[in-house]
Amino acid sequence: MRETWVIGAASNRFGKMRETGREAATEVALAAIESAGIEPRQIGYTFVANAFGVAEHQAHVGPLINTGLGIPEVPSCTIESACSSSSAALHEAFVHVSGGFTDAALVVGSEKLSHLDTLAATSYFACGADYPFETKNGATFPGLYATLASTSQPAYATRPEMFGAIAVKNHANGARNPHAHFQKPISMETYLASPMIASPLRLYDCCPFSDGAAALVVAAKEATPSPAREPLVIRASARAGSIAGMHDRPDMLGLPATRAAAEIAYRQAKMTPRDIQFAEVHDCFTIAEALALEDLGFFPRGTGAKESFDGTTARDGRFPVNPSGGLKAKGHPVSATGAGQVVEIFEQFNGLAGARAVPHAEIALAHNVGATGGSCSVHIFSRR
Ligand SMILES: CC(C)(COP(=O)(O)OP(=O)(O)OC[C@H]1O[C@@H](n2cnc3c(N)ncnc32)[C@H](O)[C@@H]1OP(=O)(O)O)[C@@H](O)C(=O)NCCC(=O)NCCS
């Protein structure tokens, strides 16, 4: 396998986009290619993540993006893996580039849902669950993650303030991120007073519905030895799956796909959780961040939320988690989310993170989950 880098990255501000998903994808793709200091014609393959294009009456968006970039002859395909679509696209790009099938690949994730109301957006999202057993019986993602929360909360005596600490921390980080959907800090009082969405999850336990687009340029070191920016060396690109329907899982105190992807990633990178200096993890709900920190091996089972409460995972804590603001505050435009996590790490390593900079970071991990964990990606990056 060839050493493979992320040499360019760009994102728009998550939240509400005026542009269509396809227009936003083309804009961020061009910005990512420019940040890499290469020309669009050097791209050999475009991997697009776009789970809900049909909500805009637009599927098969890859050729449209490539046409906008002036490279219509370049092959493209759309990768769908629910909320982990663009990290799955990154994995495919890594496989192609490291395997020598192409020297440089574009990964672009884009989603626009803000023209839908909450009911319609919830119905579209719920298609990512197990339809006959979950969705058809009324389960939504807030409901499914509430089930995970109500399973682990009594098992570990997790207090609401512990989940609240995750929300407060991520909103504080989002307030420092110009890409973030929400750029306002919240207090614990605001968290505790927010309406119940699906017990025990309150409004501020939930990620919002966001539009957004993010793009990455993945290239072989030997083909682009001197990129314009500090590249991210891809030390691990791991994917794993698990039983999609939660009712069939033997264990609800974590996500098996995260544990499996993490094990592969640490093996590939020849690292342990102790080597990671900060992480962008999939906090679609606060319980998801708590479980991710445990499943990724950063903290013992049952202590993920408590570590946030104790300040360990703050931007200036011992182990910063979601310095971008995470899905909770930066936003969750489904197919742009995984690529957006890598944009954050690229900006951190390139001194572009401004007020949310994590000092002296050399090694970082990105964790992106599809739905309730039917699929999961874990990537580990280092500086050269
Ligand atoms: C939590 C949720 C139900 C709130 O939806 P809603 O009650 O219809 O809220 P609205 O869209 O009407 O927004 C009302 C206000 O709350 C804010 N808001 C909405 N969702 C928010 C969230 N998750 N966190 C913080 N604020 C939120 C809006 O910005 C708006 O603020 P404003 O009045 O100052 O403009 C919705 O955001 C949700 O379902 N989130 C989860 C999405 C999801 O499942 N993603 C997939 C994960 S696997």
Side-chain angles (χ1 to χ4, degrees):
M1 287 203 319
R2 302 190 294 177
E3 183 167 317
T4 299
W5 294 348
V6 175
I7 61 166
S11 163
N12 61 7
R13 179 181 174 181
F14 292 178
K16 281 194 196 320
M17 301 190 313
R18 274 199 310 273
E19 310 94 318
T20 61
R22 153 202 180 173
E23 287 165 346
T26 309
E27 282 165 20
V28 295
L30 195 57
I33 292 168
E34 280 172 5
S35 80
I38 65 167
E39 297 293 327
R41 63 183 161 71
Q42 290 174 259
I43 298 293
Y45 211 118
T46 297
F47 294 94
V48 179
N50 179 234
F52 297 115
V54 287
E56 288 189 274
H57 308 286
Q58 185 63 72
H60 199 215
V61 79
L64 299 167
I65 295 170
N66 281 352
T67 302
L69 295 172
I71 50 170
E73 68 287 356
V74 169
S76 63
C77 67
T78 302
I79 308 277
E80 191 276 311
S81 181
C83 310
S84 70
S85 294
S86 54
S87 60
L90 171 59
H91 178 70
E92 295 305 320
F94 172 79
V95 169
H96 272 245
V97 173
S98 66
F101 292 97
T102 187
D103 283 339
L106 175 67
V107 172
V108 54
S110 180
E111 214 73 77
K112 176 158 175 138
L113 286 155
S114 61
H115 54 293
L116 306 175
D117 61 20
T118 299
L119 179 62
T122 301
S123 306
Y124 269 109
F125 277 36
C127 297
D130 181 338
Y131 184 79
F133 290 97
E134 294 175 333
T135 319
K136 206 173 159 195
N137 290 305
T140 61
F141 279 109
L144 290 167
Y145 275 91
T147 306
L148 287 171
S150 53
T151 308
S152 72
Q153 201 170 12
Y156 300 118
T158 311
R159 289 186 287 118
E161 288 81 357
M162 292 179 181
F163 290 134
I166 295 173
V168 170
K169 177 218 9 128
N170 287 348
H171 274 270
N173 291 345
R176 294 165 175 256
N177 186 354
H179 299 308
H181 185 155
F182 296 126
Q183 298 184 15
K184 233 172 73 178
I186 60 161
S187 64
M188 184 62 83
E189 291 68 37
T190 306
Y191 166 83
L192 290 170
S194 68
M196 196 61 85
I197 299 296
S199 178
L201 302 181
R202 299 179 172 279
L203 176 69
Y204 285 104
D205 287 299
C206 306
C207 66
F209 290 112
S210 313
D211 301 332
L216 310 169
V217 178
V218 177
K221 172 188 173 184
E222 65 190 40
T224 50
S226 314
R229 301 260 189 208
E230 178 67 30
L232 306 184
V233 180
I234 304 178
R235 302 289 295 270
S237 177
R239 294 270 297 157
S242 83
I243 296 167
M246 283 187 358
H247 50 279
D248 277 335
R249 290 188 205 160
D251 167 16
M252 297 268 278
L253 299 174
L255 301 185
T258 297
R259 292 198 287 273
E263 195 187 320
I264 298 166
Y266 292 132
R267 203 168 51 235
Q268 275 180 16
K270 300 188 177 59
M271 290 183 192
T272 73
R274 285 176 168 275
D275 294 308
I276 309 298
Q277 290 163 324
F278 77 94
E280 283 285 310
V281 307
H282 194 93
D283 60 322
C284 50
F285 299 91
T286 50
I287 177 65
E289 177 166 318
L291 296 179
L293 296 180
E294 299 163 15
D295 287 331
L296 291 164
F298 297 131
F299 302 117
R301 177 67 62 214
T303 64
K306 184 180 177 302
E307 292 289 352
S308 288
F309 188 72
D310 292 345
T312 314
T313 58
R315 193 186 53 82
D316 55 359
R318 184 168 55 76
F319 182 66
V321 174
N322 286 329
S324 69
L327 284 60
K328 173 74 262 296
K330 185 186 177 199
H332 183 25
V334 187
S335 295
T337 293
Q341 294 175 322
V342 183
V343 172
E344 172 67 15
I345 296 171
F346 189 83
E347 294 191 346
Q348 290 283 352
F349 281 14
N350 274 282
L352 301 170
R356 67 185 194 286
V358 174
H360 315 302
E362 302 276 329
I363 299 173
L365 178 147
H367 160 256
N368 189 204
V369 172
T372 52
S375 54
C376 178
S377 311
V378 174
H379 285 88
I380 299 176
F381 305 97
S382 75
R383 287 182 195 271
R384 272 180 285 188

